[in-house]
Amino acid sequence: MSVPLFVLRNERNRRYPQRKLLESLSEFEIRKHTGLPWWGAREILGWLEPHVEPKQFTNHAVTAESKVLTTLGFFRSGRFQWLMGSDCGLSQPTASRIIEQVKVLILSQPSLVTESPKIVSFPDAAEQKRISTAFHAKSRFPNIIGIIDGSHVNIISPSQDERSFVNRKQNHSINVQIVCDDQFRFIDAVASNPGGAHDSFVFRNSHIHHRFLTGEFGNGKLIGDSGYSRSPFMEVPYARGIITPFQNDYNKRLTSVRCAIECTIGRWKRPGENFAILQQKFVA
């Protein structure tokens, strides 16, 4: 089994001098260990480093980079803490304290990441108008400011409330709600619901739903699939069966524009050739 460079350098040496571990790792090593591209790992480190950096640097102090990389590696692989600690040159109790410290920090202060200007945020009025114009040109649907869908991210079976995380494919997952724009960008995301939650339930209990209910987006609407309920701010396809020519045309136009969310999720979960194919479907 291959081991990241920062593991080899620390495995038998419990001294943690100040150094830039990420700069010594290749893109492949960072992605294999953390599941993230180098820029993703660097951004997460930038958000958390001021809060997990040791107050005093001693011979045995664990740097912020080691803490964040250890935690990301644990989240990525789900391996036993003693194995992660062994890989990183740490004892199991130390690895456990590090993972718990970073996890509690993220859960107790979500603003550390959600308030970053580079993180997913819903567009302002001017950008909403541009998105609406682009979708109208594609599908003739007016006032569309986003496409919504859910996507399951598989996880290891949790120790608590395990059944609620089982999805329709009998896998353990998190049901991630995604809203995208015409350029295949995330403009809203919710990743706090178990895989057993239905898409419509996730939407009704999301902050973006509350913002639509309060009229914050005016006449703005979302486009969803049949998993959502039709409302003044949600366009969904008509049920299959005997439908009028108008409804059939409506469904075709809606399906064509929903390729945007398929393309966005494909880009997120299956980068490469599949994304190019989906993108061609949307542009066509």
Side-chain angles (χ1 to χ4, degrees):
M1 180 181 68
S2 62
V3 182
L5 289 179
F6 89 97
V7 171
L8 294 177
R9 291 175 180 175
N10 289 328
E11 185 172 8
R12 297 185 181 278
N13 184 359
R14 295 296 301 277
R15 300 170 64 91
Y16 288 85
Q18 288 182 275
R19 59 188 177 189
K20 299 298 182 182
L21 294 177
L22 283 179
E23 295 178 0
S24 67
L25 299 177
S26 68
E27 165 75 15
F28 173 79
E29 289 169 323
I30 294 173
R31 186 179 289 274
K32 184 173 183 180
H33 183 69
T34 68
L36 300 169
W38 68 267
W39 54 265
R42 186 182 296 276
E43 285 197 0
I44 291 177
L45 176 61
W47 301 328
L48 300 179
E49 186 171 25
H51 303 273
V52 298
E53 192 74 58
K55 296 181 180 180
Q56 294 182 346
F57 281 94
T58 65
N59 289 342
H60 299 285
V62 183
T63 64
E65 283 181 305
S66 292
K67 291 180 179 181
V68 173
L69 289 173
T70 298
T71 305
L72 291 177
F74 175 74
F75 289 160
R76 157 74 163 172
S77 65
R79 300 170 67 194
F80 292 110
Q81 292 177 354
W82 69 269
L83 281 175
M84 287 303 304
S86 177
D87 284 348
C88 302
L90 306 171
S91 66
Q92 186 276 327
T94 301
S96 177
R97 286 196 300 270
I98 288 173
I99 294 169
E100 186 66 18
Q101 177 190 9
V102 177
K103 182 172 68 174
V104 169
L105 176 66
I106 295 173
L107 293 177
S108 63
Q109 301 185 50
S111 60
L112 289 177
V113 294
T114 57
E115 292 181 1
S116 170
K118 295 183 180 180
I119 296 303
V120 174
S121 61
F122 210 81
D124 57 23
E127 181 64 8
Q128 290 175 34
K129 184 176 181 180
R130 187 203 64 77
I131 295 172
S132 175
T133 301
F135 279 131
H136 185 268
K138 169 68 179 178
S139 63
R140 304 196 308 276
F141 281 108
N143 304 319
I144 301 300
I145 59 175
I147 314 295
I148 188 171
D149 202 0
S151 181
H152 288 266
V153 177
N154 289 341
I155 61 172
I156 296 173
S157 174
S159 58
Q160 297 180 353
D161 198 19
E162 178 266 341
R163 287 301 305 170
S164 66
F165 288 86
V166 178
N167 60 31
R168 62 182 181 276
K169 295 183 179 180
Q170 300 305 304
N171 296 322
H172 294 90
S173 67
I174 294 174
N175 188 357
V176 182
Q177 176 179 281
I178 299 166
V179 181
C180 77
D181 64 6
D182 62 301
Q183 296 180 349
F184 320 111
R185 299 176 303 185
F186 284 28
I187 57 176
D188 188 74
V190 179
S192 57
N193 291 273
H198 194 271
D199 287 352
S200 60
F201 172 86
V202 175
F203 179 59
R204 287 196 307 271
N205 290 275
S206 66
H207 181 57
I208 193 69
H209 179 262
H210 174 73
R211 295 174 70 183
F212 272 102
L213 281 178
T214 57
E216 180 178 341
F217 304 123
N219 295 326
K221 300 179 181 180
L222 298 175
I223 284 182
D225 59 17
S226 57
Y228 298 94
S229 301
R230 188 182 304 277
S231 72
F233 48 81
M234 177 72 75
E235 299 284 357
V236 299
Y238 288 99
R240 295 179 180 180
I242 301 176
I243 58 177
T244 66
F246 168 80
Q247 292 172 335
N248 184 57
D249 177 68
Y250 175 98
N251 283 357
K252 288 182 178 180
R253 290 188 287 117
L254 187 141
T255 300
S256 68
V257 77
R258 282 200 72 258
C259 284
I261 192 67
E262 296 176 8
C263 183
T264 303
I265 295 175
R267 183 181 187 181
W268 170 43
K269 301 177 72 173
R270 303 181 300 277
E273 182 177 351
N274 289 342
F275 167 64
I277 294 174
L278 289 170
Q279 189 175 30
Q280 291 175 3
K281 289 172 60 180
F282 177 74
V283 174

